[in-house]
Amino acid sequence: MKYTTNNPRQLAVMTLVRTSNGSYSNLQINAVIQSTSMGPADKGLFTNIVYGVIQHRLTLEYQLRPFLREPEKTETWVKELLYTAMYQLEYLDRVPKRAIFDETIKIAKQMGHDGTRRFVTGILHQMDRQGMPNLDDIQDEKTRLSIEYSVPTWLVEMLDEQLGKPKTASILASLNKAPKQSVRANLAKISQKDLLADLAKDGYDAEPSQVSSEGIIINDGQIIHSDFFTDGLLTIQDESAMLPVESMQISPDDNVLDACSAPGGKTTQIASRLKAGKVFALDIHKNKLKTVQRNATRLGVYKQVETFELDARKVDTKFEDGLFDSILVDAPCSGLGLLRRKPEIRYDKTIADINRLSEIQLQILNAVSAKVKTGGTITYSTCTIVKQENQDVIAKFISENPNFDITKTKTANHLNPDSKMVQIYPDDYDSDGFFVCSLIRKS
């Protein structure tokens, strides 16, 4: 798509209209950045506004409602424009109010007409005089938490039931923080320690991850545009997402199955440990396997990776029993541990989705269970934080497969001293929420 403007605020409104119609925010943001000539500061403001409005949508909707006489008759783009102004006023300290008002009113006229300009001007000045509605006035606590942190009520209730009020409140408060820029050192080419030293020489403010022994947090600069990324010394990956492979006991000559591989972060992490061995990477989508192959090529581990377009539930059609030394099932899930990076997930998912996904997760585990050798391990992981997709799936699998036992998931930083499984919540380390469990085949 061609854009006739480089105004980051106007582009944010246009992007928010598309995401409100079901488009993925990260794809839309990337498309706009690639199709316009915004400078770095404007790109940052544009991205901040888009993600910020999506993150705080329920809060902004609640606060705007009293100022609209006929909300159902107000055009979508006008509401999105007002949300962008409200977000900047409430959450961006460095942007002067006058600049926000002037830009918002100007966009109202450019995208609409003089009547739209008057309408938007009136609401902005009314908000300025009256102030925003006070969330503390909401009597029901779960409704208040839902609106304050902009998550659906059902999720508040589910977390409250499973984890209790203090932990739920802590998780919800963490979800709207900016995600950290996290990378994984490609052990096929360089150690974490040497990569940290090289990053420091190049002027990057970088520090080792508290979560993964392979992870590094980049505190400034866009590492994806660096030679470190181009040369395959590192890859972009959340530190929690590194734990499933870090916990696997992989030898250089092993055959490993990655049952749900795309986009390839964990596939290439497995491959970085192999020499003569191979990782067999499955995915149901052919196009996504191309991404796996591109990542493996950039990281220099393509010889250790073989891809197959295959639903993991149909492994019997391709592989014989007992073929693999270990198996990774990084299962399709609700993604509720990723709300910081993918804020629209919170509005898309339902309890029905969680129940449907937990059935698929169990089906995949059951399907691959015969493919691991006796004494071998299946590592099950998800990027979600609810028991239905994690502990409950494991309990059902063990009850249906008595030839498997849960064995302790070992992490380099000993993250689970009191449990065999690893459950990372988004507020624990300000990383993605993740679950990892190791299952050993006894016979």
Side-chain angles (χ1 to χ4, degrees):
M1 178 182 286
K2 290 184 178 180
Y3 296 92
T4 57
T5 179
N6 284 313
N7 183 326
R9 292 177 172 89
Q10 185 171 345
L11 289 166
V13 174
M14 296 161 73
T15 304
L16 286 163
V17 170
R18 283 193 289 276
T19 59
S20 70
N21 291 327
S23 299
Y24 290 113
S25 59
N26 60 327
L27 299 180
Q28 288 299 319
I29 286 170
N30 290 339
V32 171
I33 287 174
Q34 289 169 10
S35 305
T36 59
S37 55
M38 287 187 289
D42 282 348
K43 287 178 185 176
L45 179 62
F46 160 75
T47 304
N48 191 332
I49 292 173
V50 174
Y51 277 136
V53 169
I54 295 171
Q55 283 177 326
H56 297 279
R57 182 168 292 281
L58 297 186
T59 312
L60 297 170
E61 286 176 354
Y62 174 83
Q63 292 176 326
L64 178 60
R65 205 168 294 130
F67 298 100
L68 297 178
R69 290 179 186 172
E70 298 178 295
E72 68 284 349
K73 291 184 179 180
T74 306
E75 290 183 83
T76 298
W77 75 265
V78 176
K79 289 180 187 175
E80 298 296 345
L81 173 61
L82 289 165
Y83 295 151
T84 64
M86 294 163 67
Y87 172 72
Q88 292 172 79
L89 288 166
E90 292 189 64
Y91 299 101
L92 299 186
D93 297 334
R94 296 181 182 178
V95 185
K97 180 166 65 175
R98 190 196 315 172
I100 296 168
F101 277 35
D102 288 349
E103 282 291 320
T104 304
I105 293 164
K106 184 172 76 175
I107 293 167
K109 186 175 181 181
Q110 287 174 341
M111 292 185 68
H113 47 71
D114 205 51
T116 318
R117 178 190 63 78
R118 289 195 299 272
F119 176 75
V120 168
T121 303
I123 287 179
L124 290 176
H125 287 300
Q126 195 179 352
M127 286 177 177
D128 197 32
R129 287 193 305 271
Q130 296 179 14
M132 297 297 182
N134 192 338
L135 301 182
D136 291 336
D137 293 338
I138 302 171
Q139 297 300 310
D140 182 74
E141 184 184 12
K142 287 172 183 171
T143 303
R144 180 182 58 76
L145 287 171
S146 169
I147 291 171
E148 180 178 357
Y149 296 116
S150 204
V151 294
T153 309
W154 68 261
L155 181 56
V156 177
E157 291 172 346
M158 186 177 288
L159 292 176
D160 192 4
E161 180 184 332
Q162 295 181 7
L163 303 172
K165 284 183 171 59
K167 185 64 174 175
T168 297
S170 178
I171 290 172
L172 295 179
S174 77
L175 293 180
N176 293 328
K177 291 182 180 178
K180 292 184 282 190
Q181 188 178 190
S182 170
V183 302
R184 171 173 59 81
N186 178 15
L187 300 187
K189 293 188 174 185
I190 194 169
S191 68
Q192 183 213 43
K193 183 180 177 182
D194 288 344
L195 180 57
L196 275 166
D198 289 349
L199 286 165
K201 285 177 190 172
D202 260 35
Y204 283 93
D205 178 7
E207 58 186 295
S209 164
Q210 290 182 287
V211 178
S212 169
S213 61
E214 297 167 59
I216 294 173
I217 305 302
I218 310 290
N219 293 316
D220 65 346
Q222 290 297 313
I223 197 70
I224 197 168
H225 302 304
S226 70
D227 289 341
F228 293 101
F229 182 84
T230 305
D231 296 342
L233 297 174
L234 55 79
T235 194
I236 310 298
Q237 191 173 10
D238 186 81
E239 47 195 329
S240 294
M242 302 173 200
L243 292 175
V245 176
E246 180 180 286
S247 73
M248 296 171 74
Q249 310 301 308
I250 298 172
S251 297
D253 297 337
D254 281 355
N255 283 328
V256 183
L257 178 68
D258 186 351
C260 314
S261 67
K266 297 176 189 68
T267 302
T268 54
Q269 191 178 3
I270 293 168
S272 72
R273 290 156 161 73
L274 300 174
K275 297 295 184 188
K278 281 220 169 188
V279 51
F280 296 80
L282 314 185
D283 203 87
I284 200 167
H285 300 292
K286 188 174 184 177
N287 284 341
K288 290 185 177 180
L289 286 172
K290 291 178 182 176
T291 305
V292 177
Q293 292 161 351
R294 281 196 300 271
N295 284 330
T297 299
R298 179 176 60 82
L299 296 168
V301 294
Y302 62 93
K303 290 181 180 177
Q304 286 76 37
V305 177
E306 195 163 341
T307 59
F308 296 87
E309 183 187 353
L310 185 68
D311 185 327
R313 292 170 291 185
K314 298 177 181 177
V315 287
D316 263 339
T317 64
K318 201 77 178 176
F319 303 106
E320 63 191 59
D321 290 355
L323 178 64
F324 298 104
D325 298 283
S326 57
I327 294 174
L328 173 63
V329 176
D330 186 46
C333 71
S334 61
L336 294 173
L338 308 180
L339 297 189
R340 194 181 283 120
R341 293 183 191 278
K342 298 182 178 180
E344 62 264 47
I345 287 175
R346 66 187 81 191
Y347 313 117
D348 296 341
K349 299 299 179 186
T350 65
I351 295 174
D353 290 327
I354 289 173
N355 294 333
R356 177 181 58 83
L357 285 162
S358 65
E359 292 175 5
I360 293 171
Q361 291 151 3
L362 183 60
Q363 288 166 5
I364 293 173
L365 274 176
N366 283 330
V368 304
S369 62
K371 306 306 171 188
V372 71
K373 295 176 180 177
T374 300
T377 303
I378 298 177
T379 299
Y380 175 79
S381 64
T382 72
C383 53
T384 192
I385 55 176
V386 293
K387 288 181 179 177
Q388 292 94 320
E389 299 179 79
N390 295 334
Q391 293 89 343
D392 290 356
V393 169
I394 295 299
K396 288 175 187 172
F397 176 77
I398 291 294
S399 70
E400 294 176 14
N401 297 272
N403 59 326
F404 279 84
D405 265 342
I406 300 171
T407 186
K408 188 172 179 66
T409 298
K410 296 176 181 177
T411 64
N413 293 340
H414 309 292
L415 300 179
N416 57 329
D418 303 319
S419 172
K420 285 187 174 181
M421 309 177 202
V422 173
Q423 176 71 77
I424 304 290
Y425 293 103
D427 62 323
D428 291 340
Y429 303 97
D430 286 336
S431 63
D432 290 347
F434 238 87
F435 175 81
V436 190
C437 179
S438 306
L439 301 158
I440 190 165
R441 183 175 182 181
K442 298 181 293 183
S443 61

